[in-house]
Amino acid sequence: MPFIKIDVLREDLNREKKQQLIRKINEAVTEVLNKDPHLTHIVINEIEDDNWGYAGEQVSALKEQGFSTAKK
């Protein structure tokens, strides 16, 4: 029984995007690991910018300096 935990920054991850993420990950686990999709558990943890560090800085501080997590 796969258990998949996803940690993401709390951003523009609305209900529809979460559902899409869950569905696509479940499809990948079913295809790659040959697991029953009804036995796969996926948890999404949304983490505040102040609670995430990158390159020795809080993401909230980096965003104030122009850092973006958007795809380029």
Side-chain angles (χ1 to χ4, degrees):
M1 171 170 62
F3 180 88
I4 299 162
K5 178 181 165 191
I6 304 166
D7 292 330
V8 296
L9 289 171
R10 186 173 302 231
E11 295 180 317
D12 297 328
L13 199 58
N14 61 30
R15 186 176 189 170
E16 290 77 24
K17 287 183 180 180
K18 289 177 188 178
Q19 179 57 47
Q20 183 180 12
L21 184 59
I22 290 168
R23 184 177 298 113
K24 289 188 178 276
I25 290 171
N26 199 351
E27 289 172 2
V29 169
T30 300
E31 179 182 330
V32 175
L33 300 179
N34 194 33
K35 296 293 183 180
D36 182 343
H38 296 99
L39 299 177
T40 299
H41 298 262
I42 300 168
V43 175
I44 299 172
N45 291 313
E46 294 180 282
I47 301 171
E48 297 291 339
D49 291 351
D50 283 346
N51 298 333
W52 193 298
Y54 173 74
E57 299 287 338
Q58 285 176 296
V59 170
S60 55
L62 290 170
K63 284 183 175 180
E64 290 170 0
Q65 300 168 21
F67 175 82
S68 174
T69 58
K71 185 176 179 181
K72 294 180 181 178

